[in-house]
Amino acid sequence: MKLNLSGILSFALLAGTCGNPAPTAVVSYADTAFTQDYSVKYVADEGQQAEFRRVYVNRDGKVQVLAADGLKHPSNGHFLYPGHVTEDRSYRFMSAKQLVDMALCRGELVYLDSRVIFSNAWSGRLYIEHQLASPTAFAANDSLEFLVTDGEQVHFLADHAVKWKGQVPGGKVLQLIGHPTDHSQFFLVTPESLYRFSAATNQLEKIHDGSGFTSADVDARNNQLIVGTSDGYFRYSLKDGQVTGALQNKLPWPHIGLVKVIGEKYWFGTDRGAFAVRQDGKIDYYAGKRWLPDDQVTDIASGAGQSVLLLTKGGLANIHFKQMTLLDKAMYYEQQVRERHIRNGFNATLTGMKAGDLSTGYMGDSDNDGLWTSLYLAAQAFRYATTGEQQALDNCMESLDAMARLYDINPVPGFPARSFERRGKGDTRTVLSDPERWQLADHPDWYWKATTSSDEVIGHVFAFGVIAELVDHNDTREKAIRLIDTLMGHIVKNDYYLVDYDGQPTTWGRWNPEYVNGFPTNVGDRKLNSSNIIAMLQTAYHFTGKSIYKEKAFDLMDNHGYLENLLRPMAEIGEAPEDADDWSRMLSGAWNHSDDEMYFAGYWGLYRYAFNDTLKAKYKEAIRDHWEAERPEKEGAWNIFTAITGTADFDRDEAIWYLQEYPLDLIQWTMQNSHRRDIVLLPPNFRTQTTEEVLPPDELKISRHNSNRFILDGGDDGVAENSAGDIWLFPYWMGRYLGVIDAPANP
C-alpha cells in the first residue's frame, strides 16, 4: 500500500494525550510545528539518455522539464514510491519545436527555440522573433521583456520586437538573469565578468571582473547578486557596486554549477548534490538517493506550495517542506512500523530490496531481534502509559508474546534465543543470517537462533521492567515479571553466565567476577558488565521481591568491586595497556557504541530501582558522567534517558533537534560526506569522533543508537528500510512519558 503522507499527518493530529503525569521535574518541550523536509523523486524513463536542462512550475502547479529531446513532466510520484520523468504530450504539436531554453514569466511557461520566443499562455499571442541564428539562453521578466544570447551576441526584446543588439566582450555568456522586482535590470554572467543590462537605457555595462564564475541569481531582499564560482560563492552589492564580505567556500562542495535564490535561502547546485544556505549561515545538504535521483544537479526552481524542485542528470526531486509536530511525525512512523516492520511480533528491518523499492523487500531476521524489539516494546509501553491508547497496549502484548517465545522455543530453561524463523524448503538455514547459529526447534515448522549476546539480555530486562512498572494491565505486567525472573534465575543459577544449548557460556553473556575483573580497569567491558548485572539484579529484586537477587547484587558490589567498576569515570576508559591479553586489547581498540546502548538500557533499572538513596545518588553521578562523554553526538535517546535522573540539564534542545532532523525516509541509502569543505575534521581518536560538530541525521546514513553518529560515509544503496520502532519512536515516547516532550497544545 502506498503511503498517503498528507493523510497520515492529518490523522496524526487525532492521537490522544491523556495518561499519567510526567514523573520527573524537567523542563519540557512545547510540541509546536517545525519544518519537516522529505523528497518525492521522479526518475528518468528506463533507457532515456536525454539531458535534463531546465525545470519550472507554472502558476497552476504544472511542473515541466526541458530536456535535450523536448518537454517532459513528472508522473505518478509519491513519497518513498518514485515516479517517472516522461514525455509531456499536453500540447501535441510542441514536439515539432526545437526548444533551446525555458523560463517563467508572470507565472506562465515561456519557450525559446531556434527562431522565436513564444508561449502557450495568453492565447498563444506571445511570439517574437529574436533574430539570432543559434540562441543558447534567454531571461524574462514580468513586463514581457526578454534578453536572448547565442553566447556572444545579446538581443533585447520588448513590445514584440528586437529593441537592442549588442556584443559581449570576450563572449562565452553562461547565463542571463532577469531582476525579479526591478524589471529595468538584467544581468549576464561570463566566466570572468558580470554585466548589467538596463532595459530603460539599452546599455550594457561590466560591473565586476574576476575568474571562475559559473552562475548567479538576484537576492532582491538585500539588493545583491549571489555569484557562484568554481570555488564557492560571494555576494555583490548592487547598491554599492562592490563585493560584500569574503568568498564563501566552507561548503559541502565548493564547485558550484548553479545558483538560485528561493525565499530567504540561497540554493546551490553542484555535481555532488545541492545545498541551501539559510539566513543564519547554517547549511542543509541534499545529496544521495535519499534526496535525489542523481547527484549531478542541472537546475533548481521554486516548486508548488512549500517545495523546491531539484533537477538532476537522472531525474527530478521535489523537496517538500511540511509543517509537522513531533506527534505528527510519531504517528507517521507508527504506521510505517505496523505496515512493513512487524515480523512474528518482532520489530524487524525490511531487507532484500532492489534500489530502494519497498515492494521488493522482505522482513529479515537479525542477531538482535530481541534487542530491537525490546526498544520498540518499551516505546509502546511508554506510549500506553502516556496516552492510554488501546493500540499501544495491543502492540505491547503482541511484541511481548514474541519475546516470551524466545524463551520457550529452545530447550534450555531461562535461556532466550536470539530469534526464531520458519523453516522453508530444504535447509532454510543456508539463507538465514549466520546459518551456523540456527538450531532445529521441537516444533516442525521453526528454527531458533543460539549464541545470545549480552546486549539482548540487557534489552530484555529493560523492556520487561518498563512494562512491569508502567503498564496497568495485569496479565501483561505479570508476564513481564515472570520473564525477568526466568532470565535472571538462569543467570544466577549459572554463576553469572548465559549458558547455551551446548552447556557452554555464550561469547558475550558473561558477568562472572573472574571474567569481568580479568580486564584491566580501563577496559570498558569491566565497567559495562558490572553496571549491567547490578541493574538487572536490582530490577529482578524490585519486581519479584526475591532476596537472592539483592544478596547477589551486594555480594558483587561489596566483595568483587562491581560498585567501584561501574562508578569508574568515563575519562579513564581507553585502550588496554600493551602488556594486556589479546582479548582485552581487541575489545578496547576504540570506543564501542554498542556499549553505549547497553549502558543506557541498563541505567533504567540501575537508577529507578536502586536499593537505597545512597546508591541512587552514586548512580546518578555515573549516568551524568557518561552523558557528558556522549554530548558531542547529540544522540536524542541518550539525552532523554539522562532525564530519568531528574536533572534539568540533559541537552533537551539537542534531543529535540535529533528528533526533528531525523529523516522520514528510513531507507538505507548510501550517503557521502567526507568530501565536504564545511566540516572540520579531527585527528584519529579513541572516541572515533571524526568532526568537531556532528552532522544532522538526515545528512547521514540511517543508523540505530548503537552506531557512531560521526561516521561520515556509509549506507547500503537502498537495500533495506529500517524500522522507526527502535530508532525514533523509542526516544520520542520515552520523552513523552518522562515529561521531556509535551503533547501538542492544539491537536
Side-chain angles (χ1 to χ4, degrees):
M1 173 180 159
K2 293 186 178 179
L3 299 182
N4 182 330
L5 187 63
S6 60
I8 294 169
L9 300 185
S10 297
F11 170 77
L13 295 175
L14 301 178
T17 57
C18 61
N20 297 342
T24 55
V26 299
V27 179
S28 62
Y29 166 74
D31 190 11
T32 55
F34 64 96
T35 301
Q36 175 69 58
D37 49 358
Y38 62 93
S39 178
V40 177
K41 291 162 284 189
Y42 305 85
V43 298
D45 283 339
E46 189 173 350
Q48 186 179 76
Q49 299 296 322
E51 173 191 347
F52 295 133
R53 297 174 175 172
R54 196 78 68 224
V55 63
Y56 283 106
V57 58
N58 73 4
R59 66 185 183 89
D60 298 317
K62 177 181 175 60
V63 177
Q64 193 165 67
V65 172
L66 176 63
D69 62 348
L71 294 174
K72 315 288 181 181
H73 61 178
S75 172
N76 199 33
H78 305 275
F79 177 56
L80 299 181
Y81 295 85
H84 292 271
V85 178
T86 189
E87 182 184 2
D88 186 349
R89 301 178 60 196
S90 303
Y91 283 85
R92 53 182 171 165
F93 296 117
M94 290 289 286
S95 60
K97 299 290 187 181
Q98 299 299 313
L99 300 180
V100 175
D101 201 0
M102 180 171 69
L104 202 64
C105 183
R106 296 183 182 177
E108 302 288 2
L109 296 166
V110 179
Y111 309 96
L112 171 70
D113 76 2
S114 58
R115 289 196 315 108
V116 300
I117 292 172
F118 71 100
S119 177
N120 293 314
W122 310 296
S123 303
R125 294 178 187 275
L126 180 65
Y127 187 90
I128 312 173
E129 292 188 4
H130 49 67
Q131 299 178 15
L132 286 170
S134 300
T136 56
F138 80 128
N141 63 32
D142 283 354
S143 295
L144 294 182
E145 297 172 337
F146 307 95
L147 206 61
V148 192
T149 185
D150 62 3
E152 297 180 358
Q153 301 177 80
V154 179
H155 290 186
F156 174 58
L157 287 65
D159 299 326
H160 297 271
V162 175
K163 296 294 187 180
W164 177 86
K165 296 180 181 180
Q167 191 87 12
V168 177
K172 297 184 181 178
V173 177
L174 301 175
Q175 183 185 10
L176 303 175
I177 311 153
H179 197 294
T181 56
D182 182 354
H183 297 166
S184 68
Q185 296 187 82
F186 287 86
F187 301 94
L188 298 82
V189 180
T190 76
E192 298 178 346
S193 301
L194 302 175
Y195 292 85
R196 172 165 39 203
F197 175 77
S198 171
T201 62
N202 290 341
Q203 289 184 322
L204 180 68
E205 62 172 325
K206 182 187 292 187
I207 57 175
H208 187 66
D209 279 325
S211 63
F213 301 161
T214 57
S215 178
D217 200 11
V218 178
D219 176 6
R221 291 166 54 90
N222 295 301
N223 196 27
Q224 56 187 224
L225 283 177
I226 309 303
V227 184
T229 77
S230 57
D231 186 34
Y233 75 94
F234 63 88
R235 298 175 176 89
Y236 177 86
S237 172
L238 294 172
K239 176 183 178 181
D240 300 331
Q242 60 185 13
V243 172
T244 301
L247 178 72
Q248 303 296 311
N249 57 11
K250 301 298 184 183
L251 306 169
W253 194 238
H255 307 300
I256 292 169
L258 59 102
V259 181
K260 189 72 68 170
V261 177
I262 300 176
E264 296 185 355
K265 294 181 180 179
Y266 302 154
W267 284 83
F268 300 92
T270 78
D271 59 0
R272 291 206 172 187
F275 58 92
V277 178
R278 308 181 202 171
Q279 289 294 300
D280 61 5
K282 294 182 179 179
I283 296 174
D284 298 317
Y285 186 34
Y286 299 92
K289 291 190 175 179
R290 175 181 299 153
W291 299 108
L292 307 174
D294 184 89
D295 277 353
Q296 186 168 328
V297 178
T298 59
D299 198 19
I300 300 174
S302 179
Q306 299 298 313
S307 70
V308 171
L309 301 169
L310 301 178
L311 188 63
T312 76
K313 181 181 177 181
L316 176 68
N318 194 347
I319 309 297
H320 292 265
F321 300 91
K322 188 174 184 67
Q323 294 299 298
M324 300 176 67
T325 62
L326 289 177
L327 179 59
D328 294 335
K329 195 168 184 176
M331 299 314 292
Y332 163 71
Y333 280 142
E334 291 283 359
Q335 183 170 337
Q336 183 250 17
V337 174
R338 303 309 302 180
E339 284 191 350
R340 298 193 292 279
H341 294 282
I342 299 298
R343 180 183 71 83
N344 299 323
F346 290 129
N347 175 51
T349 298
L350 189 70
T351 191
M353 291 160 48
K354 297 178 181 178
D357 184 347
L358 295 172
S359 69
T360 63
Y362 61 86
M363 290 182 289
D365 63 278
S366 166
D367 256 12
N368 296 112
D369 274 338
L371 175 58
W372 310 143
T373 304
S374 292
L375 299 185
Y376 171 66
L377 186 54
Q380 295 306 301
F382 288 131
R383 178 185 172 193
Y384 177 66
T386 303
T387 69
E389 294 171 311
Q390 182 64 39
Q391 183 187 59
L393 179 59
D394 292 343
N395 296 344
C396 273
M397 291 190 291
E398 178 184 35
S399 289
L400 184 61
D401 191 47
M403 298 287 284
R405 196 177 185 203
L406 291 172
Y407 292 82
D408 59 41
I409 199 170
N410 75 80
V412 184
F415 181 85
R418 283 185 180 271
S419 185
F420 52 80
E421 185 55 280
R422 289 189 185 278
R423 304 183 196 181
K425 294 181 180 179
D427 190 350
T428 309
R429 286 175 292 191
T430 60
V431 298
L432 295 171
S433 61
D434 307 311
E436 71 282 357
R437 297 181 178 182
W438 289 90
Q439 310 298 318
L440 291 169
D442 289 340
H443 193 290
D445 205 29
W446 294 94
Y447 293 111
W448 66 275
K449 196 171 189 179
T451 70
T452 303
S453 179
S454 54
D455 46 358
E456 273 75 58
V457 172
I458 191 61
H460 289 209
V461 175
F462 163 60
F464 300 157
V466 170
I467 292 171
E469 179 183 356
L470 304 183
V471 176
D472 59 352
H473 183 268
N474 285 338
D475 290 346
T476 301
R477 182 176 183 275
E478 290 172 5
K479 188 174 187 177
I481 295 172
R482 285 197 303 272
L483 289 170
I484 294 171
D485 194 26
T486 297
L487 173 57
M488 295 310 299
H490 171 99
I491 291 172
V492 169
K493 178 182 177 182
N494 288 287
D495 200 18
Y496 307 112
Y497 288 108
L498 191 64
V499 177
D500 213 335
Y501 72 99
D502 59 3
Q504 298 299 313
T506 66
T507 301
W508 302 107
R510 299 164 183 252
W511 303 272
N512 181 279
E514 183 178 356
Y515 174 80
V516 171
N517 289 332
F519 292 110
T521 57
N522 70 328
V523 172
D525 287 63
R526 182 166 178 157
K527 174 180 171 70
L528 171 65
N529 287 26
S530 298
S531 181
N532 275 185
I533 191 63
I534 298 303
M536 294 190 294
L537 289 168
Q538 285 188 164
T539 302
Y541 174 73
H542 183 84
F543 290 108
T544 69
K546 293 183 178 180
S547 60
I548 188 172
Y549 296 128
K550 185 174 185 179
E551 292 166 4
K552 292 292 184 180
F554 274 108
D555 176 58
L556 291 174
M557 288 191 286
D558 294 342
N559 300 320
H560 298 282
Y562 275 37
L563 181 60
E564 180 184 355
N565 289 345
L566 72 87
L567 295 177
R568 184 164 289 111
M570 279 293 173
E572 296 182 15
I573 303 301
E575 296 184 46
E578 291 185 4
D579 60 351
D581 61 280
D582 291 343
W583 186 244
S584 295
R585 295 184 67 185
M586 184 277 291
L587 290 177
S588 62
W591 188 256
N592 188 329
H593 294 267
S594 285
D595 289 357
D596 293 327
E597 187 163 52
M598 295 172 65
Y599 275 116
F600 277 94
Y603 289 158
W604 184 269
L606 189 70
Y607 182 79
R608 292 175 76 87
Y609 313 137
F611 292 127
N612 55 57
D613 289 342
T614 300
L615 284 173
K616 197 168 193 176
K618 293 180 181 294
Y619 298 154
K620 180 176 181 177
E621 292 178 11
I623 294 170
R624 284 191 55 82
D625 173 69
H626 187 181
W627 170 73
E628 286 285 354
E630 292 298 313
R631 292 181 76 178
E633 290 198 46
K634 301 182 181 180
E635 226 293 350
W638 308 155
N639 286 355
I640 291 171
F641 234 121
T642 303
I644 66 172
T645 64
T647 179
D649 180 15
F650 57 93
D651 286 352
R652 184 207 67 180
D653 291 347
E654 304 293 8
I656 299 305
W657 172 86
Y658 171 92
L659 294 173
Q660 291 179 344
E661 291 289 331
Y662 220 91
L664 289 179
D665 181 348
L666 298 185
I667 294 174
Q668 291 179 12
W669 297 114
T670 299
M671 307 298 286
Q672 300 286 331
N673 289 286
S674 57
H675 61 276
R676 294 174 64 160
R677 303 283 183 86
D678 62 331
I679 57 178
V680 179
L681 296 174
L682 299 180
N685 55 80
F686 179 71
R687 291 286 303 179
T688 59
Q689 181 176 340
T690 58
T691 58
E692 283 188 355
E693 290 287 333
V694 70
L695 292 171
D698 62 355
E699 297 176 12
L700 300 169
K701 71 181 184 72
I702 297 299
S703 60
R704 292 185 168 99
H705 303 294
N706 65 336
S707 295
N708 179 6
R709 294 203 57 247
F710 284 96
I711 294 175
L712 295 174
D713 302 333
D716 208 3
D717 204 25
V719 74
E721 181 193 52
N722 280 89
S723 167
D726 54 295
I727 292 176
W728 199 94
L729 292 174
F730 162 57
Y732 171 75
W733 286 116
M734 179 169 58
R736 284 288 304 274
Y737 173 73
L738 293 174
V740 172
I741 304 168
D742 289 338
N746 297 298

